[in-house]
Amino acid sequence: MRKTSGTGTALPIIDLSLLAGTGEQRQSLARSLNDACLHTGFFYISQHGIPDDLVNRVFRESRALFNLPDSEKEAIHKARSPANRGYEPLKGQTLEPGTPPDLKEGFYIGEELDDSDPRVQAGRFNHGPNQWPAALPTFRETMSKYFEAMNELSDRIMQALALALDLPQDFFDDFCQQPLSTLRLLHYPPQPPNPQPGEKGCGAHTDFGGVTILLLDDNPGLQVWDAANDRWINANPIPGTFVVNLGDMIARWTNDRYRSTLHRVVNTSGAERYSVPFFYSGNPDHEVTCLPSCLADGDQPHYPPTTVEAHLMDMYRRTYA
């Protein structure tokens, strides 16, 4: 276990290559991951197989996007998309109720689906075409390749979670078919020298879905709530890793055994900060019901059965109503 700089306890680094190792190595992975999910719901992953060149290209394209003139970004505003794809301006979201709007701008990308796709024709939640910046000729190719790589990495993380939950490694295979996934590019300007009370890059929140894979640049800012010690801890960048956290759906699925933890961003680096979260929610039709391995004798499920799509739609209604 390796400590992040700043106050608070350590977040573990999970070696994902152990998933393809011996039975003993997979058991070691399962124990480490189970411990992380029980205590913080946040961890780093190393040996993930994502090439550095692709990561560097994603950051280059992201910086180029946010450096475009406002008029070009507004032309691909997500309000123009029925599938919530495209540009979200600075202060366009308030994730922590009762605080000023978040000091970030973003861009949403999902699976590319045209009007001929039955899911689009049926008006399924968050299904449809993306919007792409016309001025950046290699943006779409780079982001599409990264999107595909993140889906594949999410599949492997779900296999590791199955082992951590004492389930067969392929337990979540059906959940991983035709997953609902969202890639989000984020740009945080430096924190103002005299911020409004509660003003920060990203307000305290939990994620809605399954797992989030977060790519960080070199600047700190991510903070994770340590409930056991009643304080925020810094999850600073570690080269060659991603930060992974569990969403509300995993907490529901595991009967609150695993944690979906509050986190926020305060960009005190003094520099422009970029991050790239990938939200993996799985097959919209998959049933989410309490896992047998998470229900002790005599206990009852905390939540009724639902589906991935119904859960996400409910969370969106609560947040944006």
Side-chain angles (χ1 to χ4, degrees), residues 168-228:
Q169 186 169 325
D170 62 358
F171 182 85
F172 292 112
D173 280 3
D174 288 341
F175 169 75
C176 294
Q177 298 299 313
Q178 290 191 317
L180 188 59
S181 305
T182 301
L183 176 62
R184 194 175 184 192
L185 312 178
L186 293 172
H187 166 231
Y188 297 89
Q191 184 81 357
N194 297 299
Q196 300 179 49
E199 188 174 34
K200 59 185 77 72
C202 179
H205 67 286
T206 59
D207 294 342
F208 296 162
V211 295
T212 301
I213 305 175
L214 179 61
L215 173 62
L216 300 173
D217 72 1
D218 296 332
N219 296 309
L222 176 63
Q223 298 179 339
V224 177
W225 182 244
D226 176 11

Side-chain angles (χ1 to χ4, degrees), residues 45-66:
I45 56 170
S46 64
Q47 305 302 316
H48 44 70
I50 305 300
D52 289 343
D53 176 65
L54 180 57
V55 166
N56 294 334
R57 286 165 54 195
V58 167
F59 276 129
R60 283 199 302 270
E61 296 287 357
S62 183
R63 285 190 291 268
L65 171 77
F66 292 117

Side-chain angles (χ1 to χ4, degrees), residues 154-166:
S154 298
D155 289 354
R156 288 192 283 140
I157 292 172
M158 293 305 299
Q159 291 177 26
L161 282 174
L163 295 178
L165 289 162
D166 198 26

Side-chain angles (χ1 to χ4, degrees), residues 209-280:
V211 295
T212 301
I213 305 175
L214 179 61
L215 173 62
L216 300 173
D217 72 1
D218 296 332
N219 296 309
L222 176 63
Q223 298 179 339
V224 177
W225 182 244
D226 176 11
N229 295 294
D230 195 33
R231 58 186 173 184
W232 293 99
I233 61 174
N234 296 326
N236 290 340
I238 297 177
T241 70
F242 292 94
V243 175
V244 177
N245 66 279
L246 308 181
D248 298 334
M249 190 168 65
I250 298 294
R252 176 178 185 142
W253 217 341
T254 61
N255 220 34
D256 295 319
R257 175 180 171 182
Y258 282 177
R259 296 179 178 272
S260 176
T261 302
L262 280 171
H263 51 287
R264 68 184 188 182
V265 172
V266 184
N267 182 20
T268 56
S269 68
E272 306 293 324
R273 181 180 182 273
Y274 298 86
S275 69
V276 185
F278 181 81
F279 303 100
Y280 186 80

Side-chain angles (χ1 to χ4, degrees), residues 117-138:
D117 190 283
R119 292 167 290 177
V120 178
Q121 293 178 352
R124 297 295 297 267
F125 178 70
N126 274 5
H127 286 77
N130 291 296
Q131 300 191 86
W132 303 105
L136 303 178
T138 57

Side-chain angles (χ1 to χ4, degrees), residues 15 20 30 39 62 68 71 113 128 173 206 224 240 250 271 275 285 295 301:
D15 180 351
H39 290 96
S62 183
L68 289 174
S71 60
L113 301 172
D173 280 3
T206 59
V224 177
I250 298 294
S275 69
D285 295 322
L295 195 62

